[in-house]
Amino acid sequence: MNLFESLDWLQPFLPLALWMASISGLFFVTSILIMPLVIIKLPFNYFYSETRQPVRTVSAYPKLNFLLTVVKNLIGGLFILAGLAMLILPGQGLLTILIGITLTNFPGKYKLEQGLVRRKSILRAMNWIRRKAHRRPIIISPEN
């Protein structure tokens, strides 16, 4: 029996597998391009404070502001899902999840962001990117 003959049952799933591989590749490339930009633009003390003061702005276009917030949260959700997939597929899963969390709005978000950034591997990767862009390293505590 040939190896490929025993895998005939996979044939109906081939289009789905190709579609999933394409989506995974797209998110991988997108995260590789966008993550460094977001990490470079973050203020060096973004994760330093125990609490974050909310930014309240009055917009002349509240409906547009609401629409942009919804779009930003949808994009953040896609990054979170892609990051979760990248935990088992090729890609920077934890960094992609962090970018997605940064884009979304939900209660407890800041504590979750801080918890992820406190992981040595994440902080090291973020500061490596910032060092290449000649930016100050991210600080998360007075000892850092």
Side-chain angles (χ1 to χ4, degrees):
M1 177 184 260
N2 186 340
L3 174 65
F4 294 109
E5 289 174 3
S6 64
L7 298 176
D8 284 341
W9 64 273
L10 287 175
Q11 191 65 29
F13 301 105
L14 188 58
L16 178 63
L18 291 174
W19 183 81
M20 288 176 59
S22 298
I23 295 295
S24 175
L26 177 68
F27 273 110
F28 175 71
V29 169
T30 304
S31 67
I32 292 295
L33 295 174
I34 290 177
M35 274 191 299
L37 296 175
V38 173
I39 291 169
I40 290 167
K41 293 291 182 186
L42 280 176
F44 76 97
N45 59 354
Y46 183 80
F47 299 104
Y48 185 76
S49 174
E50 283 297 315
T51 60
R52 179 167 306 133
Q53 298 299 321
V55 177
R56 302 276 183 214
T57 59
V58 177
S59 173
Y61 306 99
K63 290 180 182 178
L64 178 62
N65 203 24
F66 176 76
L67 178 64
L68 291 175
T69 301
V70 169
V71 169
K72 181 179 70 104
N73 279 295
L74 287 173
I75 292 170
L78 287 174
F79 269 91
I80 291 170
L81 290 174
L84 290 172
M86 285 182 209
L87 292 175
I88 56 172
L89 298 171
Q92 295 289 329
L94 291 176
L95 282 174
T96 305
I97 291 169
L98 181 61
I99 298 301
I101 289 170
T102 302
L103 289 171
T104 56
N105 300 335
F106 58 89
K109 169 183 150 178
Y110 187 61
K111 292 286 186 195
L112 181 59
E113 286 175 337
Q114 283 183 318
L116 285 172
V117 172
R118 288 183 194 284
R119 297 183 71 141
K120 289 184 192 292
S121 60
I122 300 264
L123 185 60
R124 191 176 326 123
M126 290 176 75
N127 282 332
W128 179 82
I129 291 168
R130 291 178 66 85
R131 191 170 39 255
K132 293 291 183 186
H134 307 290
R135 302 274 192 221
R136 291 179 66 177
I138 289 178
I139 58 171
I140 55 174
S141 66
E143 307 87 45
N144 181 323

